Amino acid sequence: MQKRKLEPETLRCRCGRELTTATANVYHSHLNRYVFHRCECGLEWTERFEEVDRSEPISGDELLAVHQVLLGYEGRVPDLLQEAFA
Ligand SMILES: [Zn+2]
């Protein structure tokens, strides 16, 4: 009997095949990217990834600014948002 190294990183289908051996078809929709997987045993599953809206890139600086505002803000976030969009 072969001894197999323990590889927790390796995900397996319920049939025992590694998920990396399954076929994968990628489809793009407007907002999402779907990856359809099909294992040789017939099991199919779908992964959905949200596409990043590249038309409006957010810079790291902007993210930091948001975090700093939230850190210094005492109150309810909905109130903060209302102030921001008032
Ligand atoms: Zn399988």
Side-chain angles (χ1 to χ4, degrees):
M1 213 176 105
Q2 264 193 331
K3 268 195 178 174
R4 205 173 257 156
K5 258 201 303 182
L6 267 181
E7 292 176 43
E9 296 294 312
T10 307
L11 295 169
R12 288 175 190 284
C13 177
R14 62 181 179 194
C15 68
R17 290 182 179 90
E18 290 181 18
L19 294 189
T20 50
T21 65
T23 59
N25 293 294
V26 183
Y27 293 94
H28 292 268
S29 74
H30 181 56
L31 288 171
N32 298 297
R33 181 161 53 95
Y34 297 91
V35 182
F36 294 103
H37 299 272
R38 193 173 199 283
C39 181
E40 278 184 61
C41 71
L43 187 76
E44 295 174 311
W45 68 98
T46 307
E47 282 181 292
R48 184 173 67 89
F49 302 91
E50 279 184 30
E51 292 279 23
V52 177
D53 186 353
R54 292 183 183 83
S55 63
E56 288 182 41
I58 296 176
S59 74
D61 286 350
E62 281 178 300
L63 265 183
L64 272 177
V66 170
H67 278 274
Q68 271 165 357
V69 167
L70 288 176
L71 274 178
Y73 184 73
E74 289 177 18
R76 296 169 61 240
V77 171
D79 294 340
L80 176 70
L81 292 175
Q82 255 178 357
E83 275 176 44
F85 292 109

